[in-house]
Amino acid sequence: MRKSRAMSALQYGWAAVLVVFTLFPFYWMLVSALRGSDNVLTSRLTPGPFTLEGFVNLMDVTPFPTYLTNSMIVSLSLTALTIVIVTPIAYALSKMRGRLGRALGFSVLLGYMVPEVLLMIPIFVILVRVNLDNSLAGLVVGLLSVTMPLGLWLMTGFMKTIPPALEEAARIDGASWTEIFWYVILPLARPGILTVGIFSFIIGWTDYLFALTMIRSEELKTLPVGLSTLYGKFDSSWSEIMAGAVVVSIPAIILVAATARHFVGGLSQGATKG
């Protein structure tokens, strides 16, 4: 009994340490954003004095609203395209058996394992040749090389968990392949689609390397790149930089928190069968 209590106390204590270690950077970022430029570099861990100066200057003095709009366009477009492209392909891959199916599945996993740094230059050269460089559309196309392998790997694993008996029953009732996919497969694959969508949105929202490489115009920069240019450009005001970091973090936190149950379920099923 004593050993059980000691083990539980140890587990809870370790969990508390992990929570503090994980949340402290966001806490410090939020506190620094609310302190203002005069107190932002103080070493006090307690918050205050509070001011919205950093957020006001961020929106009024810097091009942050433009960066925010560009990131939203890229993230939503990337999410929609990834889901539309990946879902039918994953369904087809889940039905393949034998060496061809294993080879295609391995190639998808291999594509996911290739570092995006190695993909940027050849993708950039292709985009230049088709006149899509320095554009949000070109950035979305480049990021598809990251989201599609990951989405295919997760979605294919999730599709394999759908019982074939449901498709056979629908086929016996006279449903076509299109109707089976639309009315049977897609509703059952909703957690997997949600998981792929969250991953795609976060990748588009937080990407720095692709945006830094492919975007040159100031009016087309996304949040991570635009936020990095604030350092030294507007007197290196850490209050505005921290306020921008808070704004960047909020959408991803809200998205994951609102869909946590479906997200974890879809991730575990896709990773297990993938």
Side-chain angles (χ1 to χ4, degrees):
M1 194 68 176
R2 291 180 179 178
K3 290 183 179 180
S4 177
R5 290 179 179 177
M7 183 62 66
S8 298
L10 182 62
Q11 291 175 346
Y12 281 113
W14 180 241
V17 171
L18 289 178
V19 169
V20 172
F21 182 79
T22 303
L23 295 182
F24 180 77
F26 184 77
Y27 166 79
W28 187 253
M29 178 175 63
L30 180 61
V31 167
S32 300
L34 293 173
R35 276 177 176 167
S37 56
D38 296 333
N39 301 300
V40 68
L41 296 180
T42 182
S43 59
R44 289 185 295 105
L45 295 179
T46 56
F50 294 112
T51 176
L52 295 178
E53 173 192 352
F55 292 93
V56 173
N57 292 339
L58 182 71
M59 296 299 175
D60 292 343
V61 180
T62 73
F64 192 83
T66 301
Y67 304 151
L68 184 64
T69 302
N70 293 337
S71 278
M72 190 62 67
I73 293 173
V74 170
S75 301
L76 293 178
S77 301
L78 180 66
T79 301
L81 282 174
T82 302
I83 291 175
V84 170
I85 295 173
V86 160
T87 305
I89 298 177
Y91 176 65
L93 287 175
S94 68
K95 299 304 175 185
M96 291 185 177
R97 298 292 185 267
R99 294 183 179 179
L100 179 60
R102 289 193 296 269
L104 290 176
F106 177 76
S107 65
V108 170
L109 184 59
L110 184 64
Y112 172 60
M113 294 171 62
V114 175
E116 61 180 88
V117 177
L118 301 179
L119 299 174
M120 286 189 303
I121 301 304
I123 291 176
F124 179 73
V125 172
I126 295 174
L127 293 177
V128 169
R129 292 183 178 180
V130 297
N131 296 322
L132 279 179
D133 61 308
N134 194 34
S135 66
L136 296 181
L139 178 58
V140 172
V141 172
L143 289 173
L144 281 173
S145 65
V146 180
T147 59
M148 283 186 59
L150 174 62
L152 275 174
W153 179 63
L154 290 174
M155 188 65 75
T156 302
F158 190 88
M159 290 290 187
K160 290 179 180 179
T161 65
I162 299 178
L166 297 177
E167 300 177 54
E168 296 174 0
R171 198 177 304 118
I172 293 174
D173 291 337
S176 63
W177 284 108
T178 304
E179 292 172 332
I180 292 174
F181 180 76
W182 187 261
Y183 295 108
V184 178
I185 301 301
L186 286 185
L188 294 175
R190 191 174 302 167
I193 294 174
L194 183 62
T195 303
V196 172
I198 292 174
F199 267 117
S200 301
F201 182 88
I202 293 177
I203 288 174
W205 189 256
T206 60
D207 171 73
Y208 179 80
L209 291 177
F210 271 89
L212 180 65
T213 304
M214 299 180 182
I215 300 297
R216 299 186 300 273
S217 302
E218 182 71 24
E219 64 274 9
L220 294 177
K221 288 182 179 179
T222 56
L223 280 175
V225 178
L227 192 60
S228 67
T229 60
L230 296 183
Y231 179 77
K233 190 173 183 179
F234 296 92
D235 299 327
S236 299
S237 178
W238 287 105
S239 179
E240 282 80 5
I241 294 175
M242 290 298 180
V246 171
V247 175
V248 172
S249 304
I250 287 176
I253 293 174
I254 294 176
L255 181 63
V256 174
T259 59
R261 183 169 59 89
H262 300 287
F263 176 71
V264 173
L267 180 60
S268 60
Q269 292 186 45
T272 301
K273 289 292 183 178

